[in-house]
Short mmCIF file of all heavy atoms in Angstrom, two decimals:
data_model
loop_
_atom_site.label_atom_id
_atom_site.label_comp_id
_atom_site.label_asym_id
_atom_site.label_seq_id
_atom_site.Cartn_x
_atom_site.Cartn_y
_atom_site.Cartn_z
N PHE A 169 -16.32 24.11 18.85
CA PHE A 169 -15.53 25.23 18.58
C PHE A 169 -15.17 25.36 17.00
O PHE A 169 -15.57 26.46 16.26
CB PHE A 169 -14.28 25.32 19.34
CG PHE A 169 -13.36 26.43 18.88
CD1 PHE A 169 -13.48 27.77 19.45
CD2 PHE A 169 -12.32 26.32 18.05
CE1 PHE A 169 -12.75 28.88 19.15
CE2 PHE A 169 -11.51 27.37 17.65
CZ PHE A 169 -11.72 28.65 18.29
N ILE A 212 9.33 8.71 27.25
CA ILE A 212 9.94 8.40 25.86
C ILE A 212 11.42 8.95 25.95
O ILE A 212 12.40 8.41 25.47
CB ILE A 212 9.05 8.91 24.70
CG1 ILE A 212 7.88 8.17 24.65
CG2 ILE A 212 10.00 8.86 23.45
CD1 ILE A 212 6.87 8.70 23.70
N PHE A 230 -7.84 23.19 31.65
CA PHE A 230 -9.12 23.69 31.12
C PHE A 230 -10.13 22.62 31.21
O PHE A 230 -11.28 22.88 31.83
CB PHE A 230 -8.94 24.22 29.77
CG PHE A 230 -10.29 24.82 29.18
CD1 PHE A 230 -10.86 25.98 29.54
CD2 PHE A 230 -10.98 23.96 28.37
CE1 PHE A 230 -11.94 26.39 28.97
CE2 PHE A 230 -12.29 24.48 27.87
CZ PHE A 230 -12.78 25.68 28.18
N ASP A 244 -7.66 16.49 17.89
CA ASP A 244 -7.24 16.45 16.47
C ASP A 244 -6.41 15.17 16.07
O ASP A 244 -6.49 14.67 14.91
CB ASP A 244 -6.41 17.62 16.14
CG ASP A 244 -7.29 18.89 16.29
OD1 ASP A 244 -8.47 18.87 15.96
OD2 ASP A 244 -6.80 20.01 16.53
N MET A 274 -26.19 28.66 16.59
CA MET A 274 -25.33 28.73 15.47
C MET A 274 -24.07 27.82 15.50
O MET A 274 -23.45 27.69 16.53
CB MET A 274 -24.63 30.26 15.41
CG MET A 274 -23.77 30.50 14.31
SD MET A 274 -24.52 30.58 12.81
CE MET A 274 -25.61 31.95 12.83
#
Side-chain angles (χ1 to χ4, degrees):
F169 177 82
I212 293 171
F230 176 81
D244 295 328
M274 180 66 69

